[in-house]
Amino acid sequence: MANLFDYRRAFSRNIGWVTEQEQQKIRTSRVAVAGLGGVGGAHALTLARLGVGSFHIADFDDFEVHNFNRQVGASMKTLGRPKAEVLAEMVQDINPEAEVKVFARGVQAENVSDFLDGVDVYVDGIDFFAIEARRRLFKESYERGIHALTAAPLGMGAALLYFKPGGVSFEDYFKVEGRSEQEQYARFIAGLSPAMLQRHYIVVPEAVDFASRKGPSTMMACDFCAGLMGTSVLKVLLGRGNLRAAPWAMQFDAYSQKLRFTWRPGGNSNPLQQLMLRFIRPILRGSFE
């Protein structure tokens, strides 16, 4: 079937929103996606359909039944299979010419350099609780001058943070270094979602269980994340339009039909963020008890 593939025809319907020259720029770009579950898998497929030509993808996990509600690679046919292997196949089913380098053990200290080597944009999709791995990836991206973005699925919407080269770094914004595990979670939540648009409509609060490292999720949120991420990556790769970088954050919530942009100079040191942390900490303590 690969001999039936033609890149120009496959992505011809992008033309109009991008030029032919811009589509070729996308074709020659390399994007790294770490974490291929809820948001990461959706990011990879969205970028594959955009026509991105080269990927580094990483995940150490296998698909399980509880992934079915939100992970694009999860199905009866893929149960028990490695997520990275499945998503590599899905990307190349869309674009057989795509170069896909798989990091089947995830991203660790010893391979983070290889994972980001030659990459234009880093796309964060790793598990919420993997803060140390996330810090490592954002730190390495910042030091290499790589654009780095994360999109968080929150309720039935999404939040976006963009860390541009030379701007505010992940640590500058979240300020988690040297903090306890619970405090790191609190600071990550506060930084991801300063507007907290999703908190008003959760109907089973006890489903958020930090001690067991699990919480509620929706496919709608993952789809919104992928749309925001795909658009943001396009703007970065093509140098088109404004993309607000940290300490700006954006959150859209479809359920409440609200869009918020927040600006938090100093990140989690900002007085408004300190108030947010006072609200979040007791909730986390209750979850861990």
Side-chain angles (χ1 to χ4, degrees):
M1 298 296 289
N3 62 348
L4 299 177
F5 179 79
D6 178 84
Y7 181 93
R8 186 171 182 177
R9 289 186 61 202
F11 303 107
S12 62
R13 297 297 291 271
N14 291 343
I15 306 306
W17 301 115
V18 300
T19 68
E20 292 276 5
Q21 293 75 20
E22 287 174 328
Q23 187 65 56
Q24 288 303 307
K25 169 63 176 173
I26 293 168
R27 185 180 189 177
T28 59
S29 296
R30 185 179 302 271
V31 176
V33 183
L36 299 165
V39 291
H43 292 334
L45 296 192
T46 297
L47 294 170
R49 294 193 186 280
L50 183 61
V52 170
S54 298
F55 291 87
H56 290 180
I57 62 173
D59 201 302
F60 60 83
D61 206 0
D62 300 332
F63 282 115
E64 300 180 56
V65 173
H66 67 258
N67 302 143
F68 279 23
N69 79 311
R70 70 200 181 284
Q71 299 194 13
V72 294
S75 69
M76 292 302 295
K77 292 181 180 179
T78 63
L79 274 178
R81 291 190 60 199
K83 294 180 182 180
E85 178 183 293
V86 170
L87 265 297
E89 291 174 3
M90 295 177 78
V91 167
Q92 291 181 315
D93 279 344
I94 295 166
N95 179 3
E97 296 178 357
E99 177 190 337
V100 184
K101 185 174 182 179
V102 174
F103 291 74
R105 294 172 54 245
V107 182
Q108 302 173 10
E110 60 267 25
N111 68 0
V112 64
S113 180
D114 288 341
F115 181 69
L116 293 173
D117 191 36
V119 164
D120 298 297
V121 181
Y122 166 59
V123 170
D124 176 44
I126 62 178
D127 186 88
F128 170 86
F129 296 97
I131 292 181
E132 283 307 306
R134 179 173 279 112
R135 288 180 62 203
R136 184 183 303 123
L137 280 157
F138 276 96
K139 182 175 185 292
E140 185 81 12
S141 296
Y142 190 80
E143 290 174 353
R144 288 170 173 251
I146 296 171
H147 301 267
L149 301 102
T150 189
L154 301 171
M156 300 177 204
L160 179 75
L161 276 168
Y162 165 46
F163 295 92
K164 68 178 182 180
V168 173
S169 72
F170 182 93
E171 184 58 39
D172 290 338
Y173 182 78
F174 286 103
K175 293 180 166 49
V176 295
E177 185 174 3
R179 308 287 178 171
S180 69
E181 182 182 49
Q182 286 187 42
E183 180 65 12
Q184 287 189 41
Y185 292 153
R187 286 171 176 264
F188 193 47
I189 293 168
L192 278 176
S193 180
M196 291 291 281
L197 300 179
Q198 75 282 4
R199 69 185 178 91
H200 300 291
Y201 58 86
I202 186 167
V203 293
V204 186
E206 59 270 25
V208 181
D209 186 348
F210 284 89
S212 300
R213 298 195 170 197
K214 65 180 183 180
S217 58
T218 68
M219 187 69 236
M220 298 86 78
C222 293
D223 283 340
F224 282 124
C225 284
L228 284 174
M229 184 63 74
T231 304
S232 300
V233 170
L234 178 149
K235 294 176 81 171
V236 167
L237 292 177
L238 302 181
R240 278 179 43 181
N242 181 44
L243 186 61
R244 299 182 188 185
W248 284 98
M250 179 181 75
Q251 184 177 0
F252 169 70
D253 189 87
Y255 189 89
S256 59
Q257 297 187 26
K258 292 179 180 179
L259 172 67
R260 293 283 187 275
F261 288 93
T262 53
W263 185 56
R264 297 291 188 268
N268 277 326
S269 293
N270 187 282
L272 291 175
Q273 291 302 98
Q274 289 294 305
L275 289 174
M276 177 75 71
L277 285 165
R278 290 183 186 179
F279 167 77
I280 294 171
R281 286 173 183 137
I283 297 173
L284 284 184
R285 281 197 296 269
S287 181
F288 276 94
E289 291 173 354

